[in-house]
């Protein structure tokens, strides 16, 4: 077996195409868009290169056939927050062969040790947590857009090397027409009698206004009260403009008190149900097809991305206002059948409680693993928030 760094055009092509051969008999796998994978490793597109570095590897057998791939990286901002400096690995694919997998893990360990790291997490993204994060261990059905998918044997490849579960990631789903818990309907009726409050879905002709509302709610709900960084309005405006073609305004809801934005529930159609027909490409023709399919609402599944309420209005039924109004609109207009949330970490019991109180079922479980280089050190799981 020969492990090489991705440096040539052929290497880059092999890196993209290896999963195609590995999953050729797996009906639930959906090929990611080539451009999305390539963007992660393009310093001009991925801002994480400003404060980190990354290396990609390919493993070839004796016949020069690619049988494995992996990426290893560090993010200087993240390492400063950890009890021990920790790097990451991701984009792992491999045949069912421990020796092959462990050879790649060994190389990543050595690379990270040379950079001063004391541990590695994986499989994770060289970027935000909303993409390519975690290993599927339960719920092997078609993945959401930019969600990892893997064979069940990957778990043994990781755990046999010595990776330990750092945290679990849980997704929740429900049938949109099913009634949620009765308390939501009671609280909805109570808040509906207060004329100060109302909920509405996004109208694309006022996109700029809703982008500002998103920024207001986010900065009050998370940035100012969670130690996070505030979003800039210009940044959010550009994001909404970029996402406009794939948005369904009727799936995005905001809550207001005296016309001030106080809550948001951001959902998108399950884009992977469209992209699975494109064989990894998104050129001009595919974009036209995508717009046509979006217009025809050819997917019946909705993906929950963000849900938040500003602190001063929490506990007043604003969550029930958005959820019940949204559910009613989806059902009456026959828009969607199924709903699935993006993952919630098991270290976040408050968000887990909100999800479970809706009457959802756990639809899939992913593991994020950690490997301590000093095997004598005590392993600790992710702290509870």
């Amino acid at each position: 077996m020969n492990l090489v760094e991705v440096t040539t055009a052929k290497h880059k092509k092999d890196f993209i195409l290896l999963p195609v051969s590995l999953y050729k008999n797996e009906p639930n796998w959906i090929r990611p868009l080539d451009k999305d994978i390539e963007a992660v490793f393009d310093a001009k597109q991925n801002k994480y290169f400003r404060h980190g570095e990354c290396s990609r590897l390919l493993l070839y057998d004796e016949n020069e056939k690619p049988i494995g791939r992996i990426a290893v990286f560090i993010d200087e901002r993240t390492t400063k927050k950890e009890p021990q400096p920790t790097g990451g690995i991701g984009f792992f694919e491999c045949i069912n062969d421990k020796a092959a997998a462990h050879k790649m893990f060994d190389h990543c360990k050595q690379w990270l040790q040379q950079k001063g790291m004391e541990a590695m997490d994986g499989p994770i993204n060289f970027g935000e947590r909303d993409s390519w994060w975690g290993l599927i261990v339960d719920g092997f059905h078609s993945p959401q857009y930019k969600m990892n998918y893997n064979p069940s044997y990957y778990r043994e490849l990781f755990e046999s090397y010595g990776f330990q579960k750092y945290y679990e990631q849980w997704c929740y789903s429900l049938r949109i027409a099913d009634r949620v818990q009765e308390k939501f309907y009671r609280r909805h009726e109570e808040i509906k009698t207060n004329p100060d409050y109302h909920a509405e879905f996004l109208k694309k002709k006022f996109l700029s206004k809703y982008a500002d509302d998103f920024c207001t709610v986010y900065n009050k709900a998370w940035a100012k009260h969670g130690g996070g960084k505030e979003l800039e309005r210009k940044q959010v405006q550009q994001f909404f403009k970029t996402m406009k073609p794939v948005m369904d305004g009727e799936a995005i809801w905001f809550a207001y008190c005296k016309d001030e934005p106080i809550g948001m529930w951001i959902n998108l159609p399950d884009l992977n149900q469209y992209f699975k027909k494109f064989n990894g490409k998104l050129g001009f023709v595919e974009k036209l097809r995508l717009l046509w399919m979006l217009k025809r609402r050819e997917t019946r599944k909705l993906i929950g991305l963000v849900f938040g309420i500003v602190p001063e209005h929490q506990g007043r039924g604003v969550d029930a206002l958005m959820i019940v109004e949204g559910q009613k609109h989806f059902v009456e207009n026959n828009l969607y059948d199924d709903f699935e949330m993006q993952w919630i970490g098991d270290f976040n019991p408050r968000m887990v409680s909100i999800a479970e109180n809706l009457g959802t079922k756990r639809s899939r479980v992913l593991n994020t693993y950690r490997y301590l280089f000093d095997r004598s050190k005590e392993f600790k799981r992710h702290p509870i928030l």
Side-chain angles (χ1 to χ4, degrees), residues 189-207:
E189 288 303 312
E190 291 171 2
I191 197 170
K192 280 283 286 184
T193 62
N194 188 333
D196 289 343
Y197 290 92
H198 80 277
E200 63 185 56
F201 62 78
L202 180 149
K203 286 81 173 177
K204 285 190 176 182
K205 63 180 178 180
F206 303 120
L207 192 68

Side-chain angles (χ1 to χ4, degrees), residues 30 132 141-148 171-172 270-273 301-305 340-343 363-364:
I30 296 176
W132 322 119
H141 43 90
S142 295
Q144 300 174 15
Y145 177 53
K146 288 190 178 182
M147 174 179 277
N148 282 337
C171 294
Y172 293 89
D270 185 1
L271 298 177
N272 251 10
Q273 298 307 311
K301 185 175 180 180
L302 202 58
I303 303 298
L305 302 181
E340 185 175 27
M341 301 177 187
Q342 279 197 330
W343 65 266
S363 51
R364 51 181 122 215

Side-chain angles (χ1 to χ4, degrees), residues 318-333:
V318 178
D319 55 344
L321 179 67
M322 289 189 290
I323 290 169
V324 175
E325 290 291 307
Q327 181 194 43
K328 180 182 178 183
H329 185 79
F330 300 151
V331 172
E332 289 181 350
N333 293 276

Side-chain angles (χ1 to χ4, degrees), residues 5-201:
E5 188 170 15
V6 173
T7 56
T8 69
K10 180 184 183 303
H11 291 156
K12 293 176 181 178
K13 182 177 179 181
D14 286 347
F15 193 89
I16 290 290
L17 293 181
L18 173 59
V20 177
S21 61
L22 284 176
Y23 295 99
K24 61 183 178 181
N25 296 318
E26 174 50 68
N28 288 325
W29 180 68
I30 296 176
R31 179 177 174 176
L33 296 177
D34 295 350
K35 74 172 190 67
D36 288 337
I37 302 295
E38 292 165 351
V40 174
F41 304 105
D42 184 346
K44 293 180 180 179
Q45 297 186 65
N46 187 353
K47 64 182 181 181
Y48 275 69
F49 279 98
R50 301 173 193 168
H51 40 78
E53 54 183 306
C54 175
S55 174
R56 279 189 288 172
L57 292 306
L58 275 165
L59 185 66
Y60 292 91
D61 66 12
E62 60 276 7
N63 298 315
E64 290 302 309
K65 177 184 177 181
I67 58 173
R69 77 176 197 187
I70 200 166
V72 57
F73 37 83
I74 57 173
D75 175 9
E76 295 290 352
R77 297 184 310 174
T78 303
T79 60
K80 295 175 182 177
K81 299 178 182 179
E82 293 285 349
Q84 69 278 312
T86 302
I89 59 169
F91 301 89
F92 172 85
E93 302 286 359
C94 191
I95 61 173
N96 193 0
D97 185 306
K98 288 183 183 179
H102 291 187
K103 184 178 181 68
M104 291 191 287
F105 293 152
D106 281 339
H107 176 92
C108 294
K109 174 185 175 183
Q110 293 166 10
W111 189 90
L112 290 168
Q113 285 179 315
Q114 291 172 0
K115 308 291 182 182
M117 300 298 105
E118 298 176 11
M120 59 183 175
D121 289 349
I124 63 172
N125 182 31
F126 186 47
E128 302 292 345
R129 285 188 178 189
D130 61 357
S131 304
W132 322 119
W133 206 282
L135 189 82
I136 293 281
V137 297
D138 188 30
F140 292 89
H141 43 90
S142 295
Q144 300 174 15
Y145 177 53
K146 288 190 178 182
M147 174 179 277
N148 282 337
Y149 186 87
N150 54 264
S152 59
Y153 68 79
Y154 277 20
R155 182 174 189 172
E156 174 61 19
L157 296 183
F158 273 82
E159 294 182 358
S160 64
Y161 187 76
F163 280 94
Q164 295 171 272
K165 183 167 58 181
Y166 188 45
Y167 55 83
E168 290 188 356
Q169 304 157 230
W170 298 334
C171 294
Y172 293 89
S173 65
L174 51 73
R175 295 282 293 174
I176 286 176
D178 291 347
R179 288 183 68 82
V180 296
Q181 290 192 3
E182 290 301 320
K183 64 181 180 181
F184 283 92
Y185 299 105
R186 292 195 299 269
R187 293 167 64 207
H188 170 261
E189 288 303 312
E190 291 171 2
I191 197 170
K192 280 283 286 184
T193 62
N194 188 333
D196 289 343
Y197 290 92
H198 80 277
E200 63 185 56
F201 62 78

Side-chain angles (χ1 to χ4, degrees), residues 27 45 85 106 138 226 237 249 264 370 374:
Q45 297 186 65
D106 281 339
D138 188 30
Q237 289 281 354
M264 60 185 178
R370 173 162 289 185
D374 183 348

